[in-house]
Amino acid sequence: MGLSSRSAVAIHALTMLARWDDRSLASAEIAESLASNPVLVRRILGGLRDADLVASTEGRGGGWSLARAAREITLYDAYAAVEAGPVLSRHPHPPSAECEVGRNMQDLLEAEFRDAERAMEERLGRTTIADLARKVLACEREVALRNS
């Protein structure tokens, strides 16, 4: 299937929720930060809710919040919650068994792609939403210093 923008949207939304963890955020607020559509954001948040990464409350003062501490949610958790299938696309149909390349390519690529996907999972698993929220604040402090 290949990687979509769902992961980036999910990570962005989770980081916003971590940044303003003292209150719930409406999907429209998150969508505004993404310059996106609230319906798309709600779909992504629904996947995050299904994975027990966020919780929602309805009614006045309701919205979205983290279901657990930001330091306990990795980028891989967000990725796994909203992406389906492998990151790297495989052959859409079996290549020719009559060709020496075709006969061997699927198995060779499968091993390479599996290793690459494991490396990505491991790397994304090292960074938490809390790490990104801290980096956002650090970037904002740098901007404020430059502008003062």
Side-chain angles (χ1 to χ4, degrees):
M1 158 153 272
L3 190 60
S4 72
S5 64
R6 289 185 300 268
S7 293
V9 171
I11 291 166
H12 187 124
L14 289 167
T15 304
M16 282 194 69
L17 294 172
R19 170 63 182 93
W20 286 282
D21 66 349
D22 58 334
R23 65 182 182 94
S24 294
L25 296 179
S27 54
E29 291 175 278
I30 297 168
E32 186 176 313
S33 175
L34 283 155
S36 185
N37 184 310
V39 173
L40 167 75
V41 171
R42 279 191 292 278
R43 278 192 209 123
I44 298 295
L45 289 167
L48 295 173
R49 182 183 49 216
D50 293 344
D52 296 321
L53 299 177
V54 300
S56 63
T57 53
E58 293 185 23
R60 188 176 193 97
W64 298 89
S65 58
L66 295 179
R68 56 188 199 223
R71 68 181 180 281
E72 297 173 3
I73 302 171
T74 68
L75 302 189
Y76 181 72
D77 294 331
Y79 160 80
V82 298
E83 296 293 350
V87 174
L88 299 168
S89 297
R90 279 32 177 200
H91 276 294
H93 52 80
S96 171
E98 302 301 314
C99 171
E100 63 187 42
V101 173
R103 191 169 39 247
N104 295 289
M105 191 52 59
Q106 273 188 295
D107 290 340
L108 295 171
L109 276 182
E110 183 59 34
E112 293 296 324
F113 286 3
R114 201 172 39 248
D115 287 349
E117 288 165 346
R118 267 189 240 139
M120 183 203 77
E121 291 170 16
E122 188 276 326
R123 177 62 188 91
L124 292 178
R126 282 189 272 158
T127 304
T128 68
I129 295 301
D131 295 331
L132 286 187
R134 278 191 297 277
K135 289 177 182 181
V136 164
L137 291 174
C139 289
E140 284 301 299
R141 282 191 293 273
E142 285 180 27
V143 168
L145 285 172
R146 279 196 303 265
N147 292 335
S148 60

